[in-house]
């Protein structure tokens, strides 16, 4: 080997690493093409659309009440979100005012869902930075709010609380006591996790200054929810465009939009943690001010022709349901824009310039929900001849296959 | 869709309790005379909702007008619609200062569904404009990154599944409507 006096500067080659759509580290199908130079990510591309379910198309052939339960299945974590937002859209299209008590209970379910979703995210974030102790602690305490949701609605995941014209279950006095007791415990635990997230170096050093999304880019690329608010973008439908009981919550003056000007993953984490504590306080306020009265208004199944833009702040950001009705009992057009879909656009920017090892936490920081993203057309295609197999056919074939084995 | 039906779909708001919306609406209609059609533009009964029918070749000007005059930066989404002879693109925005959601929509003819993209003005529309092209076959001309977004990579050409007349060549929608358990001979 020849020796040279001058030290050689080695420029690492550019390598493009595809992560996904199927990858052990990803829980859901998305594809991220990261071009790296050594450890630095210099370019990123986000590809989605690997899990279409054609919900918008299917909805055009179903009645509003059926679509309500279909909407709930868009996402397991935001089930009350889509369910409630669609109910709200249909009520607006029918020009029906629902009882006050129903509005409060609907909002209560939404806020409890926000608590469970944010604690879930916190656990995932702890896990992604390798702080598994806190991950297990936070998910243990998430069970508290899951139990509350179960006592409230009867279900752990798909709550099915809303119906067109109100809610399906009432809050009794004894249930109120249970909920308040659970909320006290949650608030205490959340304050502890807030301190863990801010003062614990294991977590903080991994998120401080990572995944920077400047305010200007967040605005122009349409970042929503905690991703936007972590970059000081004041988008919160609960305060900007309130519906249901959020009008009363805003007017009470006790609650404020949580914003952070840190613009990095730490900012997004702080927004979520503080927002969880705010959500606990909101739930308590709603329970203390719960009005009496009926919980449901009857709505005719046929809805007059109308077009409605319903908005709601889901745990991940702004949800939009654009509903066009045509006088029948089925929607003419129903468009759902779930928050993760809006956050993908700024994702590529956030990844650029970071270290490859930080990619998991940057990806997790928007709290991606793939069921939010892929929901338009269901196709199971193979090469040129497209063979589409619905679930029942698939099930029958798999049964046959197992039978032939024995 | 016939004209009478499309008119009944629009529920105009009464003047009282919608003063802010009407003030903005009148200002926009005066500023953009000729770019925005009177028919199809209105203030909706739902609070804080405005709809504007924009001429397809004037969309970019209208968006620029809103961005400069009304500080519009929050792009919500884009929804497509099939109106029969026309295809429609609905751009939803939110004005954070006035706290009003506005919808700009353009109608393009079915045989030539093209209009100029606004993704270079507002990058937030990158994914949704691709989605519109795939699902409705409405082409935002000048999109900086036209690529597959929602459908599978080997989806056949000229099939736009969200159009009302999509033939459903593989009979998926038919089969997904089964209500009860199937008889064994149907498998």
């Amino acid at each position: 080997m020849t020796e040279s006096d001058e030290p050689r500067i080695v420029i690492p080659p550019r390598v493009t690493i595809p992560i996904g759509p199927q990858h052990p580290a990803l829980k859901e199908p998305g594809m991220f093409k990261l071009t790296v130079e050594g450890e630095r990510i210099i370019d990123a591309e986000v590809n989605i659309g690997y899990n279409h379910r054609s919900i918008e198309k299917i909805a055009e052939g179903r009645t509003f009440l059926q679509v309500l339960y279909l909407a709930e299945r868009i996402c397991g974590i935001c089930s009350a979100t889509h369910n409630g937002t669609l109910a709200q859209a249909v009520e607006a299209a029918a020009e029906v005012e629902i009882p006050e008590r129903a509005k409060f209970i609907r909002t209560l379910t939404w806020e409890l869902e926000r608590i469970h979703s944010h604690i879930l995210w916190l656990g995932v974030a702890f896990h992604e930075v390798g702080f598994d102790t806190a991950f297990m602690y936070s998910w243990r305490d998430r069970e508290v709010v899951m139990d509350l949701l179960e006592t409230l609605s009867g279900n752990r995941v798909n709550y099915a609380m809303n119906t067109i014209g109100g809610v399906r279950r009432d809050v009794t006095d004894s249930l109120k006591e249970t909920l308040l007791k659970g909320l006290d415990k949650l608030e205490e635990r959340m304050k502890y996790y807030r301190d863990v997230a801010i003062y614990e170096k294991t977590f903080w050093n991994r998120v401080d200054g990572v995944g920077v999304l400047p305010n200007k880019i967040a605005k122009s690329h349409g970042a929503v929810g905690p991703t936007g608010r972590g970059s000081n973008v004041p988008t919160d439908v609960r305060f900007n465009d309130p519906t249901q009981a959020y009008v009363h919550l805003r007017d009470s003056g006790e609650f404020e939009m949580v914003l952070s000007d840190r613009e990095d993953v730490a900012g997004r984490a702080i927004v979520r943690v503080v927002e969880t504590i705010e959500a606990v306080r909101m739930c308590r306020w709603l329970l203390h001010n719960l009005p009496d009265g009926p919980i449901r208004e009857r709505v005719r199944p046929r809805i007059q022709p109308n077009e409605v833009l319903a908005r709601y702040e889901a745990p991940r950001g702004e949800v939009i349901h654009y509903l066009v009705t045509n006088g029948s009992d089925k929607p003419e057009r129903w468009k759902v824009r779930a928050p993760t879909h809006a956050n993908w656009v700024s994702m590529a920017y956030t990844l650029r310039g970071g270290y490859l090892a930080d990619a998991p936490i940057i990806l997790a920081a928007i709290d991606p929900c793939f069921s939010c993203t892929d929901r338009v057309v269901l196709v199971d295609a193979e090469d040129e001849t497209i063979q589409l197999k619905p679930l029942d056919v698939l099930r029958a074939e798999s049964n046959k296959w197992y039978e032939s084995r024995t | 869709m016939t004209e009478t039906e499309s008119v009944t779909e629009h529920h105009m708001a009464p003047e009282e309790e919608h003063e802010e919306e009407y003030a903005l609406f009148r200002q926009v209609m005066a500023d953009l005379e000729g770019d925005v059609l009177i028919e199809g533009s209105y203030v909706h009964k739902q609070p804080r909702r405005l709809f504007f029918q924009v001429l397809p070749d004037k969309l970019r000007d209208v968006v620029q007008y809103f961005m400069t005059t009304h500080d519009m930066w929050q792009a919500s989404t884009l929804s497509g619609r099939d109106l029969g002879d026309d295809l429609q693109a609905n751009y939803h925005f939110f004005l954070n200062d006035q706290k009003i959601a506005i919808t700009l929509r353009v109608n393009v003819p079915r045989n030539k569904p093209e209009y100029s993209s606004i993704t270079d003005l507002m990058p937030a529309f990158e994914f949704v404009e691709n989605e519109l092209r795939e699902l409705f076959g409405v082409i935002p001309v000048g999109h900086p990154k036209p690529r597959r977004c929602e459908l599978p990579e080997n989806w056949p050409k000229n099939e736009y599944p969200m159009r009302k007349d999509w033939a459903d060549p593989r009979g998926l929608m038919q089969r997904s409507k089964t209500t009860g358990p199937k008889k064994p001979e149907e498998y």
Side-chain angles (χ1 to χ4, degrees), chain B residues 143-178:
Chain B
H143 190 289
K145 257 185 165 179
R147 59 174 176 146
R148 181 201 75 84
C149 176
E150 299 288 352
L151 295 177
E153 279 145 6
N154 50 3
W155 184 261
K157 270 186 181 176
N158 298 324
E159 273 198 28
Y160 305 110
M162 284 302 286
R163 285 189 182 180
K164 291 277 179 195
D165 63 350
W166 183 55
D168 188 16
R170 290 164 292 279
L172 169 72
M173 301 307 292
Q174 219 58 43
R175 273 179 287 182
S176 73
K177 272 184 198 160
T178 44

Side-chain angles (χ1 to χ4, degrees), chain A residues 47 52 241 305 307 333 337, chain B residues 11 42 48 76 80 147 150:
Chain A
N47 275 335
H52 276 277
D241 188 13
E307 63 178 334
R333 170 86 173 105
R337 202 299 309 275
Chain B
H11 294 253
Y42 67 104
R48 304 179 289 275
S76 293
R147 59 174 176 146
E150 299 288 352

Side-chain angles (χ1 to χ4, degrees), chain A residues 12-16 33-45 348-349 351-356:
Chain A
R14 284 189 180 184
V15 181
T16 303
K33 263 189 205 162
L34 306 178
T35 307
V36 293
E37 239 177 42
E39 282 289 307
R40 284 272 180 193
I41 301 169
I42 52 164
D43 200 6
E45 192 186 311
Y349 185 91
L351 282 167
R352 267 174 222 144
Y355 285 107
L356 184 59

Side-chain angles (χ1 to χ4, degrees), chain A residues 230-306:
Chain A
S231 296
N232 211 7
V233 180
T235 57
D236 192 329
V237 182
R238 292 178 292 166
F239 298 97
N240 286 344
D241 188 13
T243 51
Q244 312 293 326
Y246 288 121
V247 183
H248 304 287
L249 280 167
R250 183 196 56 179
D251 292 345
S252 76
E254 289 177 34
F255 306 98
E256 272 182 11
M257 201 190 294
V258 184
L259 288 169
S260 164
D261 55 2
R262 291 194 52 93
E263 305 183 340
D264 55 0
V265 177
R268 283 161 237 167
I270 292 170
V271 166
R272 283 204 178 87
V273 178
V274 177
E275 225 173 68
T276 319
I277 299 170
E278 286 280 294
V280 173
R281 287 180 52 228
M282 279 185 185
C283 288
R284 204 178 284 139
W285 190 93
L286 289 167
L287 282 170
H288 283 313
N289 294 288
L290 195 64
D292 289 330
I295 57 164
R296 191 176 170 185
E297 180 78 29
R298 285 218 167 267
V299 182
R300 286 169 171 278
R302 285 174 199 281
I303 311 288
Q304 58 173 348
N306 204 340

Side-chain angles (χ1 to χ4, degrees), chain A residues 2-77:
Chain A
T2 53
E3 280 182 21
S4 65
D5 296 332
E6 285 179 28
R8 275 173 61 200
I9 300 162
V10 180
I11 300 167
R14 284 189 180 184
V15 181
T16 303
I17 305 174
I19 302 180
Q22 303 297 331
H23 191 273
L26 287 173
K27 280 104 196 155
E28 292 168 287
M31 195 216 191
F32 308 95
K33 263 189 205 162
L34 306 178
T35 307
V36 293
E37 239 177 42
E39 282 289 307
R40 284 272 180 193
I41 301 169
I42 52 164
D43 200 6
E45 192 186 311
V46 181
N47 275 335
I48 53 166
Y50 294 98
N51 193 11
H52 276 277
R53 290 177 291 160
S54 95
I55 284 184
E56 282 175 18
K57 188 78 180 174
I58 291 170
E60 288 176 9
R62 296 197 178 183
T63 65
F64 287 109
L65 209 60
Q66 288 171 326
V67 178
L68 196 67
Y69 297 104
L70 184 68
E72 196 166 52
R73 276 139 186 94
I74 288 177
C75 178
I77 298 170

Side-chain angles (χ1 to χ4, degrees), chain A residues 111-361:
Chain A
E111 284 306 312
L112 283 173
E113 187 186 64
R114 187 183 316 279
I115 298 170
H116 110 69
S117 174
H118 279 356
I119 302 181
L120 180 120
W121 177 83
L122 194 67
V124 171
F126 283 145
H127 172 69
E128 294 291 357
V129 300
F131 190 12
D132 273 352
T133 316
F135 154 62
M136 286 171 193
Y137 266 46
S138 56
W139 277 34
R140 181 197 65 188
D141 293 323
R142 179 170 164 263
E143 285 305 306
V144 177
V145 69
M146 295 299 275
D147 287 346
L148 293 186
L149 278 163
E150 194 180 343
T151 34
L152 177 71
S153 69
N155 300 305
R156 261 173 74 89
V157 178
N158 290 330
Y159 313 115
M161 272 297 273
N162 300 299
T163 187
I164 292 160
V167 291
R168 292 177 61 226
R169 282 161 183 266
D170 205 353
V171 176
T172 58
D173 286 344
S174 63
L175 178 59
K176 209 162 150 181
E177 290 303 311
T178 324
L179 288 173
L180 285 170
K181 213 184 273 176
L183 288 173
D184 285 342
K185 177 152 192 233
L186 275 172
E187 188 170 27
E188 184 205 320
R189 295 304 299 169
M190 276 322 293
K191 283 186 173 157
Y192 173 68
Y193 292 125
R194 180 190 60 193
D195 294 346
V196 169
I198 296 172
Y199 297 115
E200 178 62 50
K201 290 272 177 291
T202 319
F203 181 69
W204 189 257
N205 288 355
R206 283 294 309 273
V207 294
D208 185 18
V210 168
V212 178
L213 179 65
N215 178 275
K216 209 170 143 247
I217 300 291
K219 275 185 169 181
S220 68
H221 286 58
V224 293
T227 313
R229 290 198 288 279
S231 296
N232 211 7
V233 180
T235 57
D236 192 329
V237 182
R238 292 178 292 166
F239 298 97
N240 286 344
D241 188 13
T243 51
Q244 312 293 326
Y246 288 121
V247 183
H248 304 287
L249 280 167
R250 183 196 56 179
D251 292 345
S252 76
E254 289 177 34
F255 306 98
E256 272 182 11
M257 201 190 294
V258 184
L259 288 169
S260 164
D261 55 2
R262 291 194 52 93
E263 305 183 340
D264 55 0
V265 177
R268 283 161 237 167
I270 292 170
V271 166
R272 283 204 178 87
V273 178
V274 177
E275 225 173 68
T276 319
I277 299 170
E278 286 280 294
V280 173
R281 287 180 52 228
M282 279 185 185
C283 288
R284 204 178 284 139
W285 190 93
L286 289 167
L287 282 170
H288 283 313
N289 294 288
L290 195 64
D292 289 330
I295 57 164
R296 191 176 170 185
E297 180 78 29
R298 285 218 167 267
V299 182
R300 286 169 171 278
R302 285 174 199 281
I303 311 288
Q304 58 173 348
N306 204 340
E307 63 178 334
V308 171
L309 186 69
R311 299 168 82 235
Y312 161 67
E313 184 75 14
R316 284 163 186 74
E318 175 199 29
V319 160
I320 291 180
H321 283 211
Y322 175 62
L323 179 74
V324 182
T325 51
N326 57 4
S328 74
D329 57 352
K330 290 173 184 140
E332 164 87 14
R333 170 86 173 105
W334 173 49
K335 158 86 185 178
V336 181
R337 202 299 309 275
T340 305
H341 202 276
N343 280 336
W344 283 135
V345 189
S346 57
M347 187 79 248
Y349 185 91
T350 322
L351 282 167
R352 267 174 222 144
Y355 285 107
L356 184 59
D358 287 333
I361 182 66

